Structures are given as C-alpha cells and as structure tokens.
Amino acid sequence: TGEEEINVITEKTPVVFSHIVIILTLFAVIMLALFFLKKTSLHAFVKIIPIILLIIALILPWWQLSGSTQDMSIDHEINIYPWSQKIISKTTVDGNSYLEISTAPEIVDQFLMLVLLLTIICILCVVLSMAFEILKKPRIEKLLIYGSIILLIVVIIVFSYGMDQLSTIGIGSMYGEGILSIDIPYSADCVDIDASWSMAIGFYLCILSILALITPRILIKKLHWGKE
C-alpha cells in the first residue's frame, strides 16, 4: 500500500503553547517571589516582560488579510503564524466557515520556520541571561542580552523581507487595501471582496520586545547613576 499525506486544518492553538503559558506563569511567580525576597535584582525581574511579549507574539498572527463582499455575506481572511509554517485562509459563507491551505512556494515554509526558531532562541537567551545575572556573571548576561537583541532584529528583517517578496508576487504589496477576487470553497464561482492587509499584532509585539529589553536597562542605569 502507498503512503498518503493528509493535512488536517484547525483553528485551535497547538497544545504546546498552553503548556508554555503554564510554565511561564510559574516562572513569573517564582521570579516575583525571589524579587520580594531580595534574591534577585529588579534588572533580572523586568526581563520577564520581553519573554511574555515574545511568547504571546508566537501565538498571535504576524501578517493578516481580511475582507468581505459589499453585502457582507462572504468574509475572507488570511492569518500567517510562524508556528504553523502554512498559510491558512478562512472563508465564511452565510455563517459557514471553510479553512484552506493556501498555495505558496516551499521557501515560505522555510522562512517561517527560521523566524520561529530564531524567536525561540531569543526567549531561551533571555531566560539564561536571568540565570547568569542571579549567579553574578555580568559578562555572560550582557552577551546573551545583546545577542537576543541582534537576533530579534534579524527576525524582524527576515519576516519583513519574506512577506514583502511573497505579497509582491501575490497581491502587490505588504501593506495595502483594494478589491481582490477569491474563489468560493466547493464552488466554481469567484467573488470580489473589499480587502485590507498589513503586518499583524504578533509582528509588532516582536518589535516591542526589543524595546522591553533595551529600555529598562537604560532606565535602571540612569537611576543608579542618579544615586551616585
């Protein structure tokens, strides 16, 4: 018998992210307890913020397209998540929703996987930097933080470039709005929708996490210099 690959499409977030959220919550509680017990510094404690932002960013879409027909009978949306490595489109016709895997070059899966792996590495680097700060290893801690910032900048550049190339081929631009023609699922008909598309909240949370890594470091140093 031959092997057959079957793709199952679901709107549910992978279970692994639920486990990560639970672990993150426990970690935050432990760090909060250590902070109040004066076992860790404020500098180490505030690093929880970029960790939380990055994990939430991985759960949320990084690019989205949404639109509907003039009579609102058909809605169409596309959300791109780094964790899925697939471009999933959702079309709602008279209240019934249909999910489809959009056709895209294999390189799209590869660059989404790269974005996912680099983001996970950044999260691990920030977590390790907290550990080394508690262990009084400032040089390693700084190296990990600066490395995380550089990797996040690379993530933003890679995703922006990849989406720019993909959207230029498909709809003309990474940001925009206009009339698009879509196929109705399980039908030979096409309809025009009034759509808009842009980077989504996950992408902006990634940018915000860079600021969350840099800003507290600068403010704490200024407070330290002020006391001196």
Side-chain angles (χ1 to χ4, degrees):
T1 59
E3 294 183 357
E4 183 179 357
E5 181 179 341
I6 300 176
N7 292 313
V8 178
I9 310 174
T10 176
E11 293 185 273
K12 293 183 178 180
T13 304
V15 177
V16 65
F17 284 110
S18 300
H19 295 160
I20 290 175
V21 170
I22 293 172
I23 293 172
L24 177 64
T25 303
L26 293 174
F27 180 69
V29 170
I30 292 171
M31 288 301 299
L32 184 62
L34 289 174
F35 175 69
F36 282 112
L37 292 172
K38 297 184 178 180
K39 298 295 183 180
T40 186
S41 65
L42 176 62
H43 196 193
F45 177 70
V46 295
K47 290 177 184 175
I48 294 177
I49 297 173
I51 294 174
I52 293 174
L53 290 175
L54 287 173
I55 291 177
I56 295 174
L58 289 179
I59 298 174
L60 297 175
W62 285 41
W63 187 89
Q64 62 184 6
L65 178 151
S66 61
S68 61
T69 53
Q70 290 185 347
D71 60 4
M72 305 297 289
S73 62
I74 298 176
D75 293 318
H76 183 75
E77 65 180 53
I78 297 175
N79 291 304
I80 295 181
Y81 303 84
W83 56 262
S84 69
Q85 283 92 62
K86 298 292 182 184
I87 300 177
I88 308 298
S89 64
K90 177 182 176 182
T91 305
T92 303
V93 183
D94 296 328
N96 298 314
S97 297
Y98 304 91
L99 298 175
E100 296 178 297
I101 298 178
S102 300
T103 303
E106 186 178 347
I107 193 171
V108 174
D109 299 344
Q110 295 173 354
F111 101 79
L112 288 176
M113 174 62 77
L114 178 61
V115 167
L116 175 64
L117 291 177
L118 290 178
T119 306
I120 291 174
I121 291 173
C122 288
I123 294 172
L124 293 176
C125 284
V126 177
V127 172
L128 287 174
S129 74
M130 296 172 69
F132 280 109
E133 183 164 350
I134 294 172
L135 295 172
K136 308 298 182 182
K137 302 288 184 180
R139 290 185 179 180
I140 300 177
E141 182 268 337
K142 288 181 180 179
L143 183 64
L144 288 169
I145 287 298
Y146 293 147
S148 299
I149 293 171
I150 292 171
L151 282 177
L152 284 175
I153 293 173
V154 171
V155 166
I156 291 168
I157 293 173
V158 168
F159 188 80
S160 298
Y161 178 77
M163 285 309 307
D164 180 66
Q165 295 299 305
L166 178 63
S167 56
T168 298
I169 296 172
I171 53 179
S173 62
M174 187 164 53
Y175 293 85
E177 58 183 19
I179 303 299
L180 299 178
S181 180
I182 65 167
D183 297 323
I184 299 177
Y186 305 105
S187 170
D189 297 332
C190 295
V191 294
D192 290 335
I193 61 170
D194 186 10
S196 61
W197 54 93
S198 64
M199 293 297 196
I201 187 169
F203 176 79
Y204 293 114
L205 285 178
C206 186
I207 295 176
L208 189 60
S209 67
I210 297 178
L211 298 177
L213 282 171
I214 297 174
T215 305
R217 198 175 196 90
I218 296 174
L219 292 177
I220 291 172
K221 281 186 177 181
K222 284 186 176 181
L223 288 173
H224 179 70
W225 290 336
K227 290 180 180 180
E228 291 180 351

